[in-house]
Every structure is written in structure tokens, then in C-alpha cells.
Amino acid sequence: MNGLTKPGRPRRAPAARRPADPRAGEVVEVLVEGLGGRGDGIAILPDGRSLYVPRSLPGERVRVRVGEARGDGLSAKIVEILAPAPMRIQAPCPHFDRCGGCSLQHLADERDLAWKLDRLEAALAKAGIGGYELQRAVRVGPGERRRATFAAARGARKRAPVLLGFAEERSHAVVDLGTCLVVDPAIVGLLPTLRAVLVEILVPGQRTRIAVSLLDSGLDVVLDWPQPPGPELFERLARFAHDGDLARLSWRRDALAPAEPLVQRRPVSAAFAGVAVALPPACFLQATARGEAALVDAVLEGTRGARAMADLFSGVGTFTLPLAAGGRVHAIDASGEAVEALAAAGRGNPRLTAERRNLFARPLSPPELDRFDAVVFDPPRAGAKEQAKALAASRVPVAVAVSCNPDTFVRDAKILAGGGYRLVKLMPVDQFLWSAHLELAAIFAR
């Protein structure tokens, strides 16, 4: 096998599907009453079920086609907007009507942020948490996102074109992008070169994903591919790395597999507090440089005066290295590559130690936590439920939470509050442009 064709895979039994709803395909007129957690409009059917209508806004009367079951209700697509809401604007991107990358381009910017903050404050109030200082949100603008993962697919026909872009909303269909207003122009500029190599290497019916990050040394690209590239594929990919002026090109079997460099044309690193970290492929970085800077400032404010700190879910040291400039820091992460990179960057600094540990399976216990004056934790979207329980049972005086998911943040905040912590300050960072997501940093104190 030359690395250009797909290996055979065993067939899987088809997943059980819900029976089609009797109303599926029906066109109905509804009034949109609110926005759901994903930014979709919500209408209520006469039988009391919710109807989720992407790209609609509260107060709008719309004709929609009812779709499949979704959660406790049904999905729907707009057929016609009969009465638009005053807050509706013309979406700036030509792909917005299909692309699933953005959900709120049709909502005026000031209303977009207000809705996100209202949801966050309402969820905290419902959890019984109040009395905190809500700082002014940091907002990130178009063209600032420095990482993106694109989907690519080739149709089953012999000469089918390659589609490169993002998936449609709740679909595997790929929207072929000509532009993207969210990601950095340097990433958009790579798309024609990337499309050209995909035309050469994808066989009919094949799909793949390509993760692109913009670093100080240039573009870092990771290609998902089902087997190690053979000589012919390697040659084509090396030419792509040259033509695209990539800093590094790596491959992995899928998003859960480790990535292996194929071509490295320049050192790949990022600097935190002036310390360069040699980055492993596909490592986590904050979505934007401005968002990262705001979060680092919030973490440093919350830990000011602490002499011994823990940085949990530390990654490659976004917060660890700034913290280590002022005190002792013990960093913990489940990724061996990230821990090794951080430890290598901090070698020679006696204030910094790093440990590989899965905090979901084995969170730090209260006695382990009690060694620290402050604890910082920045978990994935699932939050840090078990670690929050251990913190609540500890004597740590200050905890700083960084979160990209307000729902799991509120859950963890309620756990901390039950252990005697008080939410002192909340810093929203709106770095997921035109989406329902919101990043934040929160300072808790006993």
C-alpha cells in the first residue's frame, strides 16, 4: 500500500435510529420565543415540545420545515422569515446560511455579548451564587483566531471535487469555503494550497481533517490520515509544506491519536512570560493571542501574593510560566508531551515543577492541595467536577478557574461555594466570535 489509498476497515453494525417524528417534513408557522444554549431560536409547538430553529431570533415569526428529533424537541430549518426581529443584521459572511462554524452572525454584536452574559449571570443566580464583581468583557474581533480544524471530503464519483471547509450545522456535509472571517488571514491564505494537495491525495469517497495553528514561527499543520504516509504521499506532503511555507507538518490517525512530525522547516515554539516552549504537534493553545493575554492577567491578579501555587490542566504552560515568575508552581497535566515540553522550558528554574497525571481519574486530594496558597485550574469543556469537590474539602485560600464552558463552570462554582468559597470576581473573555461559546476566568476566595 503506497499511503495514498484507504486501508480496508471492518464494517460496523448500523447505529439504532430513532423513528421519524410524524411531524418531520411538515411546514409550520411559529413565533420564536428565545435563544437556546447553542444560539438557536426556540419556538414552542402546540403539543408543548420545543422547536430548535438555527439562525432565527427572539420575536421573529417564521415559517419552518420540521426536522428530526433533537433532545427534548425537534429541529427545524427556516423556510421564510415572515417578521424579522429589530436586532437582526445582515450576516457578513457569504457562507453563513450553511456553514456550522458560526451561529450568531445575524445578531447585532452588542446583543450577542449581552445574551451570553445574561445566560451566565442567570445560571449563577439559579445556583445561588451572587455578590461578585463582573468585569467588563474582553472582546476579540474578526480575523484573530489562530487555530482552526477544517474538514475535507471528496465525493464518491471518479472525478468528484474536493470540498474543504467546515461542516454544516448538525451534519457531516462539508461547506466549501472561499473565505472565513473568523480565523487569521494567514490561515485563510493557506486554503488554496491545501486544497490543491488534497485534490492530489484524496481518493473518491475519502474524508479527512486538517488542524492548522498560527504560531510565532509560522503555520503548524496536522493532517489526519488512516496510516503512516508512504514514500509517494510523503513526497507530495513535503512539497505542500514547502509551497505553503509551513513551519511544521505532522500526521495522526485521528483526533485522539498522537501526532508525528513529517516535515519541520523551522523551530516551532510559543513564548509565555518570555520563556520559549518547544511545542509538540496538536497541543492546546488559547484560541486567540488577545484572549490568552486577558486570561493570563486575570490568573495573575487572582494569585497575587501567593508563594506556592498549583496549575492544574496546565498544558504547555500558558499560566504556569507567568506564575513561576513570582512564586513556586507545580504544574499537572495528563499529556506527557505537554508536561515534557513545559519541564524542558522550565529547566533551571527551581520554582517550577511538572507532573503527568490524569486529574479526571485521580484529582489532587485535599491533603495534597493544602500545600498551596492558590490553585489555578483550566479544564476541558467537561469541567473539573471531581477536582472541584476536592478543592471544596481543602484549606486552599484562593482558587482561580478558567473555563470555556459556562454550564460546567457554574456546576463547579456551586461545588466550590458549598465548600466555603466565595466568587469574588468574574472576567468574561469573548474570544469565540459569532458563536454561543464564552471563555471566562473567575477568582474564588474563602
Side-chain angles (χ1 to χ4, degrees):
M1 189 172 292
N2 64 9
L4 288 174
T5 56
K6 294 185 295 182
R9 292 186 177 181
R11 291 182 177 272
R12 295 181 179 178
R17 299 185 64 181
R18 293 183 182 182
D21 190 274
R23 302 201 66 163
E26 183 179 344
V27 175
V28 297
E29 181 179 323
V30 293
L31 176 67
V32 180
E33 299 184 12
L35 286 180
R38 299 180 186 177
D40 297 340
I42 300 178
I44 306 299
L45 291 169
D47 61 10
R49 286 183 296 172
S50 297
L51 195 62
Y52 298 99
V53 188
R55 292 160 177 75
S56 67
L57 295 172
E60 292 186 330
R61 185 161 293 281
V62 293
R63 293 179 68 237
V64 301
R65 188 177 303 279
V66 179
E68 60 187 12
R70 174 178 157 185
D72 59 350
L74 298 167
S75 63
K77 288 188 176 181
I78 292 177
V79 174
E80 182 183 4
I81 299 174
L82 302 174
M87 66 188 81
R88 175 176 286 276
I89 62 171
Q90 179 66 41
C93 178
H95 303 294
F96 177 66
D97 61 336
R98 292 184 57 221
C99 181
C102 295
S103 58
L104 293 170
Q105 284 195 14
H106 59 310
L107 177 60
D109 279 351
E110 66 276 6
R111 300 300 297 271
D112 171 1
L113 178 59
W115 170 71
K116 293 180 183 181
L117 296 179
D118 285 348
R119 284 190 66 238
L120 174 59
E121 291 189 273
L124 285 168
K126 186 176 180 181
I129 299 173
Y132 52 88
E133 176 189 344
L134 180 63
Q135 295 185 301
R136 184 175 181 179
V138 174
R139 300 208 73 189
V140 171
E144 292 193 50
R145 190 173 176 95
R146 60 184 178 184
R147 56 181 175 85
T149 299
F150 298 100
R154 187 163 210 159
R157 293 181 291 106
K158 186 175 182 180
R159 292 185 175 82
V162 169
L163 304 179
L164 173 63
F166 298 122
E168 290 185 18
E169 176 75 17
R170 297 181 61 80
S171 170
H172 294 298
V174 177
V175 177
D176 200 36
L177 292 184
T179 187
C180 178
L181 302 181
V182 174
V183 300
D184 191 283
I187 296 177
V188 177
L190 180 67
L191 293 180
T193 307
L194 176 57
R195 194 186 310 273
V197 73
L198 291 171
V199 167
E200 293 183 358
I201 67 176
L202 289 183
V203 298
Q206 189 175 2
R207 305 175 65 92
T208 189
R209 287 160 40 104
I210 309 96
V212 185
S213 299
L214 179 62
L215 307 174
D216 293 343
S217 55
L219 294 169
D220 188 25
V221 176
V222 180
L223 171 71
D224 288 5
W225 202 257
Q227 73 275 342
E232 186 179 354
L233 177 58
F234 177 82
E235 181 181 345
R236 294 184 185 187
L237 292 175
R239 189 168 69 243
F240 161 61
H242 177 271
D243 293 345
D245 191 27
L246 306 186
R248 179 173 61 191
L249 174 63
S250 307
W251 84 279
R252 62 186 176 188
R253 292 187 185 277
D254 54 51
L256 299 179
E260 300 178 17
L262 293 173
V263 179
Q264 184 157 332
R265 303 175 64 245
R266 292 184 291 276
V268 178
S269 65
F272 306 109
V275 179
V277 180
L279 300 179
C283 70
F284 173 81
L285 288 175
Q286 289 294 333
T288 67
R290 193 144 57 100
E292 177 186 290
L295 294 170
V296 169
D297 287 346
V299 166
L300 292 178
E301 179 184 355
T303 57
R304 188 175 293 122
R307 293 177 297 175
M309 295 163 280
D311 183 13
L312 309 184
F313 309 95
S314 63
V316 292
T318 302
F319 305 123
T320 307
L321 290 163
L323 289 169
R328 289 183 288 112
V329 186
H330 185 59
I332 302 179
D333 198 89
S335 167
E337 287 186 326
V339 169
E340 289 172 11
L342 175 55
R347 193 167 291 130
N349 184 347
R351 295 191 299 271
L352 193 158
T353 54
E355 173 189 352
R356 182 182 184 182
R357 178 166 171 170
N358 185 336
L359 291 167
F360 289 108
R362 196 162 60 95
L364 260 65
S365 66
E368 290 175 300
L369 291 164
D370 288 343
R371 297 177 293 156
F372 303 109
D373 304 318
V375 170
V376 177
F377 62 105
D378 179 17
R381 289 188 59 79
K385 183 178 181 180
E386 297 306 316
Q387 190 61 77
K389 289 179 180 179
L391 266 170
S394 76
R395 296 194 301 271
V396 177
V398 174
V400 181
V402 178
S403 173
C404 61
N405 185 344
D407 294 330
T408 56
F409 163 74
V410 170
R411 179 201 66 201
D412 295 346
K414 186 175 182 179
I415 294 171
L416 293 178
Y421 282 100
R422 178 174 59 88
L423 177 57
V424 177
K425 190 172 292 189
L426 190 59
M427 160 66 82
V429 180
D430 191 12
Q431 65 173 343
F432 299 105
L433 186 65
W434 295 318
S435 82
H437 301 302
L438 182 67
E439 192 97 20
L440 57 89
I443 301 171
F444 294 87
R446 291 191 182 279

